[in-house]
Amino acid sequence: MLASLLEPTHGEVLYGGTRIRDNLAGYKKLIGYVPEEPNLYPYLSGLEYLQLVREFARNRSESPKRENQHAAEFIFAQCSEAFDAGFLFKRDAAENPDHCRPFARSRDSDFDEPLSGLDVTSALIFRNLMQELARSGKTILYSSHVLEAVEKVCSRVMIIYHGRLIADNSVERLRQIMAAPSLEQVFAELVQQTDTATVAREIIEAMKQK
């Protein structure tokens, strides 16, 4: 919903106090978005996909040829035919900093599981990249189920459970409030309703049975 890909069932998404639906095109120009697994169109050629992207978020001050060139530099580098824009951005950012230019121009960014599919070195570089973007004054919305990564990257954490915000504070403050050694333990105490250790033991016992 924050990336404007889904309509809220009720309520509104506000950005800077304004409803994003009042000016979606303007909103999209302000936000950088990296999905975990974007669903693209495998039957489109590389050029056809770039043309589609250009029509979705067109910079009217540039020629179509120049827009395609910028999109190509950002999206596919060494790829052919079908490609995954979010994955390629994450993968190539370490070796091709120019691919990050669209995010440098955006005011804020929304990253959905951004470390998914990255090797250790690329993950560390990407983590430092997010921290540098944040230090430059940009807001990074980092959505992830990998709590160890969230704990290392984020200065503020919001935990949503069944559509309700149940925690909103710094990692350090949440640990202090819950008297927990880690964000994972904080999460477990707030929302976990399953004895995960017992479930794991039951799975092992089931595996031992002939």
Side-chain angles (χ1 to χ4, degrees), residues 48-83:
E48 288 170 337
Y49 176 71
L50 294 178
Q51 290 171 337
L52 176 65
V53 171
R54 175 168 58 83
E55 289 303 315
F56 281 152
R58 188 173 182 183
N59 182 348
R60 301 294 176 179
S61 65
E62 292 187 329
S63 67
K65 182 177 179 181
R66 185 60 176 166
E67 288 174 351
N68 282 342
Q69 180 181 344
H70 281 167
E73 290 172 355
F74 170 51
I75 295 175
F76 68 123
Q78 300 174 347
C79 291
S80 60
E81 299 187 5
F83 39 78

Side-chain angles (χ1 to χ4, degrees), residues 108-124:
D108 301 308
S109 294
D110 183 355
F111 293 160
D112 183 10
E113 300 288 1
L115 303 184
S116 176
L118 298 186
D119 59 41
V120 174
T121 300
S122 297
L124 290 173

Side-chain angles (χ1 to χ4, degrees), residues 6-76:
L6 294 175
E7 290 273 5
T9 53
H10 63 273
E12 295 283 353
V13 177
L14 303 180
Y15 182 79
T18 303
R19 299 192 315 167
I20 66 172
R21 292 286 163 186
D22 291 342
N23 184 12
L24 270 181
Y27 172 72
K28 291 177 180 179
K29 291 179 180 179
L30 300 175
I31 302 296
Y33 178 55
V34 173
E36 179 183 11
E37 295 179 356
N39 296 315
L40 305 182
Y41 303 97
Y43 50 84
L44 294 179
S45 68
L47 178 59
E48 288 170 337
Y49 176 71
L50 294 178
Q51 290 171 337
L52 176 65
V53 171
R54 175 168 58 83
E55 289 303 315
F56 281 152
R58 188 173 182 183
N59 182 348
R60 301 294 176 179
S61 65
E62 292 187 329
S63 67
K65 182 177 179 181
R66 185 60 176 166
E67 288 174 351
N68 282 342
Q69 180 181 344
H70 281 167
E73 290 172 355
F74 170 51
I75 295 175
F76 68 123

